[in-house]
């Protein structure tokens, strides 16, 4: 079982600011949120519980891009 780490990253798309939740070490984008607080909630929950660590990370069909 590998140790996963989730981070949030700010990304500017046009005039909008989007917060992405990124899974390390695979660099998979798990979610995109308009508010930083929403992304932080997901990051905190995933880092605490490590629900996808058994599978080696979030499956490709559930990620936005890898």
């Amino acid at each position: 079982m590998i140790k996963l780490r989730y981070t949030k990253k700010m990304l500017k798309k046009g005039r909008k600011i989007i917060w992405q939740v990124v899974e390390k070490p695979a660099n998979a984008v798990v979610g995109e949120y308009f508010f930083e607080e929403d992304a932080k909630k997901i990051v905190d929950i995933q880092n605490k519980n490590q629900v996808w660590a058994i599978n080696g990370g979030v499956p490709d069909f559930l990620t936005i891009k890898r």
Side-chain angles (χ1 to χ4, degrees):
M1 187 165 69
I2 62 171
K3 179 73 173 167
L4 299 175
R5 195 175 92 230
Y6 294 86
T7 59
K8 60 181 171 31
K9 180 174 79 169
M10 185 179 71
L11 183 70
K12 191 168 182 181
K13 288 187 176 180
R15 299 185 72 184
K16 295 182 180 180
I17 294 176
I18 303 293
W19 290 91
Q20 290 184 335
V21 176
V22 180
E23 177 188 66
K24 301 287 184 176
N27 286 332
V29 177
V30 178
E32 291 183 337
Y33 300 93
F34 187 71
F35 295 108
E36 181 182 10
E37 294 82 18
D38 295 337
K40 182 165 174 37
K41 285 180 190 176
I42 300 298
V43 168
D44 291 342
I45 289 170
Q46 292 293 339
N47 282 331
K48 180 181 175 186
N49 297 326
Q50 295 285 317
V51 294
W52 293 105
I54 295 170
N55 298 342
V58 176
D60 289 338
F61 67 90
L62 292 177
T63 61
I64 296 173
K65 62 182 174 182
R66 201 169 269 267

